[in-house]
Amino acid sequence: TTNFLIIYNLNNNYNKKDTIKDSFHKYKDILTSDFNPYILIFGRDNGYRKVENIHSQKPPIVLFGCSYTYGSDIKENETVSYHLGELTKHPIYNRAQGGWGIQHMLYQLRHQEFYDIIPSAPEYVIYFFFTGHYDRIYTPCCVFCPECYYLFYKKDKNNNFIERKHNFFSNKVVFFHALMNQQIYPKIMENDIVKKYYDDLLIDYIIASKKEIEQHWRKDVKFAVFFFEYPFYEDTLKKLNSINIATITPQDYKINYKDKKFTAPPHYDHPSGKFWDIVTPIIVHKLNIN
């Protein structure tokens, strides 16, 4: 709640209460629903990309992320998981979904059902990040696709993430701040304190995810973060590398994913097969995947 108020106070001139009130009533049925995170994540029959090279004897590679990683607007044989499978012959488990973020990776890593899906310890776990994930970590819901945003964590006194109850959509105050956060997001991200908070939170989530991997699998499972954009601070990359998290940035692959020639129609806001055709070999080389 304190963080919401900090964000709110960064824009004292924002005054669209009528719009927010109308929006609440418009989405009230959705927002007051009791979403079940288990059903959303583990209850999908065909909600994920197919497993590449499922019968391979090589250790798997597991991918986490959002629609960029899932491959919205592109075919099965154009996705990053397909290209990784073709180049490495490893089983590739693409556990990304549209609208998701880093909190959905942590949620999966904390449930036994995930480890039942992945039959053996992977060689690599790769999380694909773009700066929109900052907003998804922080905002508890989205009026357009609330089921994508409802996974929300807070920290206990030992700085560990704990899962919050999922029946808070009926809270008008939370919804008010969530909607405001989205509408003034570009403005608040100009604030250096806020950006530093987001980068630190990103690191905390990655550390928490790495901890789950080591507890359920082995400490030698490799972890990497692929950045579509740079984090706000160069120091973030140094911190990740210092705890044995490999990082891949635009500096490595020299492509702007927002360039229209590398995005997929009809929306032209997601990486295309051409993007992954160029970038995936660089991922394989940088991570030394055999």
Side-chain angles (χ1 to χ4, degrees):
T1 303
T2 302
N3 290 329
F4 278 119
L5 294 176
I6 291 173
I7 298 297
Y8 173 81
N9 290 329
L10 289 175
N11 188 356
N12 295 324
N13 296 322
Y14 189 84
N15 185 20
K16 293 185 178 179
K17 293 184 179 180
D18 291 339
T19 300
I20 294 172
K21 180 179 178 181
D22 293 341
S23 296
F24 176 81
H25 288 294
K26 181 178 180 181
Y27 293 97
K28 185 176 180 180
D29 290 341
I30 297 175
L31 294 169
T32 54
S33 299
D34 187 12
F35 287 98
N36 187 320
Y38 177 86
I39 293 176
L40 174 65
I41 293 181
F42 296 110
R44 296 178 182 267
D45 293 328
N46 298 301
Y48 295 93
R49 290 296 191 180
K50 75 179 184 70
V51 181
E52 304 291 341
N53 307 319
I54 192 169
H55 298 298
S56 171
Q57 297 304 304
K58 289 187 172 184
I61 296 172
V62 184
L63 314 181
F64 292 102
C66 61
S67 54
Y68 287 15
T69 311
Y70 172 82
S72 292
D73 294 335
I74 61 177
K75 299 176 181 177
E76 195 83 56
N77 63 357
E78 296 177 315
T79 64
V80 60
S81 39
Y82 173 83
H83 284 292
L84 268 177
E86 286 293 295
L87 289 173
T88 69
K89 305 305 178 185
H90 284 258
I92 311 294
Y93 289 82
N94 188 332
R95 298 293 298 178
Q97 290 286 342
W100 283 10
I102 193 170
Q103 69 271 41
H104 297 83
M105 172 173 69
L106 180 58
Y107 184 87
Q108 292 185 72
L109 290 170
R110 284 190 169 172
H111 284 76
Q112 181 58 44
E113 285 76 8
F114 171 77
Y115 300 96
D116 294 338
I117 293 168
I118 315 295
S120 59
E123 177 178 348
Y124 254 109
V125 171
I126 309 175
Y127 164 58
F128 291 77
F129 168 88
F130 90 106
T131 52
H133 292 188
Y134 286 129
D135 192 25
R136 294 173 190 181
I137 290 174
Y138 189 73
T139 306
C141 64
C142 169
V143 295
F144 303 108
C145 50
E147 71 277 8
C148 298
Y149 284 72
Y150 74 107
L151 279 178
F152 182 75
Y153 289 78
K154 59 182 178 179
K155 294 180 183 179
D156 60 19
K157 61 182 179 180
N158 296 318
N159 207 37
N160 296 316
F161 287 105
I162 57 175
E163 187 180 340
R164 189 169 179 176
K165 299 293 184 181
H166 297 281
N167 58 0
F168 64 95
F169 283 98
S170 58
N171 187 326
K172 295 182 180 181
V173 176
V174 171
F175 175 73
F176 173 82
H177 288 296
L179 187 58
M180 284 206 33
N181 186 26
Q182 292 172 15
Q183 293 180 328
I184 67 174
Y185 184 68
K187 181 177 179 65
I188 66 175
M189 295 315 288
E190 297 174 4
N191 186 284
D192 202 56
I193 296 175
V194 176
K195 291 193 290 187
K196 184 66 167 60
Y197 168 78
Y198 273 109
D199 261 19
D200 288 345
L201 189 59
L202 171 68
I203 293 172
D204 287 345
Y205 265 96
I206 291 172
I207 291 174
S209 298
K210 189 172 186 290
K211 181 179 178 182
E212 296 295 330
I213 290 169
E214 293 176 348
Q215 287 180 346
H216 287 86
W217 279 321
R218 304 189 309 262
K219 289 190 175 181
D220 61 347
V221 173
K222 301 168 188 174
F223 196 122
V225 181
F226 178 97
F227 288 91
F228 290 97
E229 302 152 311
Y230 284 101
F232 293 123
Y233 294 96
E234 184 69 25
D235 189 50
T236 298
L237 298 175
K238 294 178 181 178
K239 287 180 179 178
L240 292 175
N241 294 153
S242 71
I243 56 173
N244 296 319
I245 304 291
T247 55
I248 304 166
T249 72
Q251 182 64 35
D252 296 305
Y253 53 86
K254 314 293 184 184
I255 290 179
N256 182 356
Y257 80 95
K258 295 180 180 179
D259 190 325
K260 192 170 182 179
K261 64 184 177 182
F262 295 119
T263 55
H267 301 103
Y268 290 102
D269 59 358
H270 284 74
S272 65
K274 183 178 181 181
F275 176 88
W276 292 120
D277 188 43
I278 296 172
V279 171
T280 310
I282 297 170
I283 296 175
V284 173
H285 175 75
K286 181 75 183 287
L287 300 183
N288 195 27
I289 303 174
N290 299 313

